[in-house]
Amino acid sequence: MTEPVLSVRNLKVEFPTRRGRLTAIDDISFDLMPGEVLGVVGESGAGKSITGTAIIGLIEPPGRIAGGEILLKGRRIDNLPPDAMRKIRGKRIGMVFQDPLTSLNPLYRIGDQLIETVQTHTDLSAAAARNRALALLTEVGIPAPASRIDNYPHQFSGGMRQRVVLALALAAEPELVIADEPTTALDVSVQAQIIALIKRLCRQHGAAVMLITHDMGVIAETADRVAVMYAGRIVEIGPVRDVVKQPHHPYTKGLMGSIPTIATESDRLLQIPGSMPRLTAIPKGCAFHPRCPARFAPCDQVRPELAGRDRSQVACWLYHDVPAPAELQP
Amino acid sequence: MLAFIIRRLLQATLVMAVVALIAFTLFRFVGDPINQMVGIETSLEERAALREALGLNDPVAVQFLRFIWNAVQLNFGISYQFKKPVLDLIAERFPATMELAIVSAIFSMLLGIPMGVYTALRRDAWLSKLFLTLSLVGISLPTFLIGILLIFLFAVTLGVLPSFGRGDTVRLGLWDTGLLTWSGLKALVLPSITLGLFQMTLIMRLVRSEMLEVLRTDYVKFARARGLTNRAVHFGHALKNTMVPVITIAGLQLGSIIAFAIITETVFQWPGMGLMFLRAVQNVDIPIMSAYLLLVAFIFVTVNLIVDLLYVVVDPRIRIDARGA
């Protein structure tokens, strides 16, 4: 078996606030294999972006990684000194953010931003770095890169800017690319192009991708595996086909059920009743139980752990051995 | 770009015309200048003759147009007090004020910008807290008090710096400079600190808040995610974006430094335009007052124009808009 590019083990991220500690990520674990595309879905505030930010080591203080470990190719990176972590960012882990309109510094030419990134991670001369920048722009599909390289970000459209952002993220050939909602801010017509581009580039470069989104369509088309997050935890993870076609966790079922299809005609979209708990008030037991249509005895008492069912894993008492009634308070 | 400059020049001209009108009308209400110019023994006929000679009997509009026409030719009339052309009086005193103002502006930026950057990057360092506390003092103490305190400390108690005047000056063509002599430089220290302290604290606080703002933006986050060094992120990406609004404020402040030099010049008996203006007010010397008002307005407008042009240099987005306009 090959070694995973990225292993997240029992990761926990906390934010101290005046009213106590907020646990944004509570004990999540997953692996990412070389060349694999892992989709991460969930509602806003479920902890998807925080997970990505924690992996790349950019959690804003006072937030901090409170427990667990992150391993890149088997080596721990969550406890590295700042400068060692900085050398990994961009070089071994690339990151793409949601909004291409604000990701690029408006006062610098895109060429300067590319050359700066290339030169930070390699020993190339200025001229060689410029050639590399031109090659990158060609690769991400910027037409006539030689005449565009000295343009400023505002001279590009949204889709073109996201291509430039991708070129920047891939500038040093990272092994892992974290794409945090890379298409949310774009036109629908451009979204498909960008997703296809991310997928093609990462396959060509052999990079694994962690694709954070709340668009199930994007996940279904792009990802190999998908992790569903709810209130800071992974509730279900498995191959895309299994999770989309045969979801197990009631939350995943609800998510899939709320996707409108052309085949079934209905006046109202299905929705999961209630809303996700705030991080200050996560219920005891399974965080989803107040909204769950299938809850029973153990759900409000003991938290279910992720456990295997063939290729996928799910954290739900429906699929696990229910703890003995003695452990449950009446 | 050319269209942009021309448009700005037209705006500047309009502003100057309005200021000229205000200067002209304001000083028509100050009092009868003839009373200031002549002694009590002057006869009514002589007074009438003088009034006629000065053109004070003409219609207001004619007087205004004559005022503008003369001002354009840099002819601001003859000072009632000194019986010399106002232009010569200003030319004598202009270098003193400009040197004081420019040295204070440089002092406030050279200290204010690094202090602002430091306090933004090291928010919790004790030195940042010290800077912020001191800046409160700089903002809240009135200028004349700072001047007097500095005189007390450095001129009276320690006796290392002069408490008044410009020291020795050297004449370079039309410009009397105090920058080339040791005593001239020593004389500049206290007044320029006094004048620049408020600006320095203002710039420091502005740089700090702008920098904190910029450090939260997505492009700074993305720059970090690309593994750029802290130095490149802070001093390349963040500082350049911070400077856009700072340039505007610092530029506009240069105008007010020149205007507010009046107080500092009085405290230090600095032989500049501000001191001259105060004496002119006391003696209802209308030509000097209106010339000073026009000059200060002209400096403000010019500085504004330069700031606009600098903006274009720093921010490419404006460059494109300007080209399209």
Side-chain angles (χ1 to χ4, degrees), chain B:
Chain B
M1 191 66 204
L2 192 65
F4 174 76
I5 294 174
I6 290 173
R7 208 173 51 208
R8 281 296 143 96
L9 279 175
L10 286 176
Q11 285 171 358
T13 317
L14 187 69
V15 169
M16 285 308 296
V18 171
V19 172
L21 183 63
I22 293 170
F24 174 76
T25 43
L26 249 185
F27 297 126
R28 282 182 56 81
F29 294 103
V30 172
D32 187 357
I34 302 293
N35 285 338
Q36 292 293 326
M37 295 167 75
V38 298
I40 31 169
E41 68 276 9
T42 315
S43 68
L44 279 175
E45 290 76 32
E46 282 173 303
R47 285 174 188 249
L50 188 56
R51 186 167 281 129
E52 187 62 39
L54 287 171
L56 294 175
N57 290 332
D58 293 341
V60 176
V62 174
Q63 286 193 46
F64 179 58
L65 285 179
R66 189 163 55 219
F67 174 76
I68 297 257
W69 179 240
N70 286 335
V72 169
Q73 293 170 311
L74 295 180
N75 174 10
F76 298 104
I78 309 246
S79 158
Y80 300 161
Q81 305 171 73
F82 302 103
K83 313 284 187 267
K84 278 166 74 182
V86 173
L87 185 65
D88 293 354
L89 288 169
I90 287 181
E92 267 170 37
R93 283 153 173 269
F94 183 73
T97 297
M98 283 313 282
E99 281 181 4
L100 177 61
I102 287 171
V103 170
S104 328
I106 292 173
F107 155 77
S108 63
M109 286 204 272
L110 279 187
L111 278 175
I113 293 174
M115 279 163 80
V117 170
Y118 182 85
T119 49
L121 293 181
R122 296 269 160 81
R123 260 182 299 172
D124 298 322
W126 65 268
L127 198 56
S128 300
K129 287 173 183 153
L130 181 73
F131 283 163
L132 285 173
T133 315
L134 286 181
S135 78
L136 272 182
V137 177
I139 282 186
S140 40
L141 277 188
T143 310
F144 68 88
L145 189 61
I146 292 171
I148 289 169
L149 287 177
L150 286 175
I151 289 177
F152 177 73
L153 186 63
F154 290 99
V156 179
T157 311
L158 297 173
V160 285
L161 293 166
S163 61
F164 69 92
R166 266 189 101 185
D168 301 328
T169 56
V170 177
R171 192 149 188 91
L172 295 175
L174 289 171
W175 191 279
D176 244 347
T177 179
L179 295 174
L180 295 176
T181 64
W182 183 235
S183 73
L185 286 175
K186 266 164 68 175
L188 255 176
V189 175
L190 293 185
S192 42
I193 290 177
T194 307
L195 187 55
L197 198 65
F198 177 79
Q199 319 295 334
M200 186 196 85
T201 51
L202 191 77
I203 287 177
M204 183 191 114
R205 286 181 163 259
L206 181 73
V207 167
R208 177 184 134 89
S209 63
E210 283 298 327
M211 187 101 177
L212 287 175
E213 194 76 24
V214 169
L215 286 175
R216 275 196 292 269
T217 57
D218 285 354
Y219 53 82
V220 165
K221 201 172 161 198
F222 187 48
R224 285 195 206 284
R226 280 183 277 145
L228 301 185
T229 56
N230 275 339
R231 190 199 175 90
V233 173
H234 294 156
F235 298 103
H237 288 266
L239 189 59
K240 192 167 178 187
N241 286 277
T242 302
M243 289 320 285
V244 175
V246 173
I247 287 174
T248 325
I249 302 291
L252 294 180
Q253 287 300 319
L254 183 64
S256 51
I257 284 183
I258 294 168
F260 291 127
I262 293 179
I263 295 168
T264 309
E265 287 184 6
T266 312
V267 172
F268 289 93
Q269 289 299 298
W270 189 262
M273 293 186 299
L275 202 57
M276 178 180 76
F277 177 73
L278 274 191
R279 296 222 175 106
V281 172
Q282 283 157 8
N283 296 308
V284 202
D285 196 342
I286 294 172
I288 288 186
M289 288 195 281
S290 53
Y292 180 78
L293 193 62
L294 281 177
L295 185 70
V296 168
F298 179 75
I299 291 169
F300 259 96
V301 166
T302 313
V303 167
N304 251 318
L305 194 67
I306 294 171
V307 166
D308 279 345
L309 295 179
L310 266 183
Y311 235 66
V312 173
V313 174
V314 176
D315 195 334
R317 288 167 293 184
I318 298 176
R319 216 175 299 164
I320 298 303
D321 294 345
R323 205 177 289 154

Side-chain angles (χ1 to χ4, degrees), chain A residues 53 56 58 60 83 86-87 89-91 93-97 99 102-109 113-114 116-117 120-121 152 154-155 164-166 168-169 180, chain B residues 123 215-230 232-233 235-244 313-321 323:
Chain A
T53 317
I56 204 164
L58 284 179
E60 292 278 335
D83 201 52
R86 177 188 68 71
K87 285 182 180 141
R89 281 198 287 273
K91 173 78 180 154
I93 308 177
M95 187 146 184
V96 178
F97 290 104
D99 192 350
T102 56
S103 290
L104 298 167
N105 189 332
L107 303 189
Y108 284 86
R109 299 168 202 278
Q113 302 191 41
L114 273 162
E116 180 186 37
T117 311
T120 302
H121 296 295
Y152 289 93
H154 68 271
Q155 292 165 292
V164 173
V165 167
L166 262 177
L168 280 162
D180 188 356
Chain B
R123 260 182 299 172
L215 286 175
R216 275 196 292 269
T217 57
D218 285 354
Y219 53 82
V220 165
K221 201 172 161 198
F222 187 48
R224 285 195 206 284
R226 280 183 277 145
L228 301 185
T229 56
N230 275 339
V233 173
F235 298 103
H237 288 266
L239 189 59
K240 192 167 178 187
N241 286 277
T242 302
M243 289 320 285
V244 175
V313 174
V314 176
D315 195 334
R317 288 167 293 184
I318 298 176
R319 216 175 299 164
I320 298 303
D321 294 345
R323 205 177 289 154

